[in-house]
Amino acid sequence: MPTQPQAPASQAKRLFCLLREAKTLGREYYELTGRPLGITGEVAEYEAVRLLGLELSAVRQTGYDAVRRNEGKTELLQIKGRCLPPGAKPGQRLGSIQLQKEWDAVLMVLLDERFEATAIYEADRQSITAALTSPGSRARNERGQLGVAKFKAIGRQVWPTTE
């Protein structure tokens, strides 16, 4: 029997509970198999929303994952996550960033081996576009992928705040 639709506040609360459980399951799965469970993107979105006070976008929203509203201004944010366990090889890359989609900035959420956020960086569209279109890497130019180090270089850390 289908359940009754939940009010938005209770729905968000339940979603956060489920993602906390998924993080636990992901950790256990990794400990048993040495392989990731494939929940990094969802966990990264959850952590960004939780830590930065954002709103999740509608499901299957093309181009962006969350919305930030500040002083009457609305910004569309794409969220990319990367799990970096201790001893991770350098040169880790983020998933594809599509320049033809609608978004204002990209957030990079770095997670540890326990799927806990360790840092969040933000880069604006202009910086991302310049990095992705500069001559050089095929991964950057053709697939729209940036390395974690490059993203850190063109972005700014927004969590935890260093002020």
Side-chain angles (χ1 to χ4, degrees):
M1 171 181 270
T3 59
Q4 293 291 335
Q6 298 178 351
S10 63
Q11 193 174 30
K13 185 176 179 181
R14 179 64 185 138
L15 173 65
F16 289 152
C17 287
L18 283 173
L19 283 167
R20 271 197 306 274
E21 292 172 25
K23 286 168 62 171
T24 300
L25 182 62
R27 286 191 297 266
E28 290 179 24
Y29 184 87
Y30 185 80
E31 289 168 6
L32 288 172
T33 67
R35 297 175 179 202
L37 187 56
I39 60 171
T40 303
E42 288 79 8
V43 171
E45 289 177 11
Y46 157 74
E47 291 294 344
V49 166
R50 182 179 71 83
L51 295 169
L52 301 178
L54 308 173
E55 299 171 30
L56 275 176
S57 66
V59 177
R60 304 282 186 241
Q61 176 62 51
T62 183
Y64 59 95
D65 304 299
V67 176
R68 176 173 45 213
R69 299 181 199 284
N70 190 16
E71 298 177 10
K73 184 177 178 186
T74 299
E75 294 175 292
L76 309 177
L77 305 170
Q78 203 173 122
I79 301 171
K80 299 294 179 183
R82 190 72 193 173
C83 189
L84 297 175
K89 294 178 183 177
Q92 298 287 320
R93 292 194 168 278
L94 299 175
S96 180
I97 300 170
Q98 298 177 345
L99 295 176
Q100 69 275 19
K101 303 290 184 181
E102 181 182 16
W103 52 271
D104 298 308
V106 177
L107 297 175
M108 175 179 70
V109 181
L110 299 179
L111 306 167
D112 65 14
E113 73 280 2
R114 300 181 53 79
F115 292 100
E116 298 297 332
T118 58
I120 302 175
Y121 290 79
E122 180 175 340
D124 62 30
R125 187 175 190 106
Q126 181 178 359
S127 299
I128 296 282
T129 300
L132 289 177
T133 57
S134 68
S137 167
R138 191 171 166 185
R140 267 196 334 259
N141 301 143
E142 293 180 20
R143 294 188 291 270
Q145 294 178 310
L146 285 177
V148 169
K150 181 65 173 178
F151 195 100
K152 285 181 177 181
I154 65 171
R156 64 184 176 89
Q157 187 171 339
V158 294
W159 184 91
T161 55
T162 56
E163 298 167 0

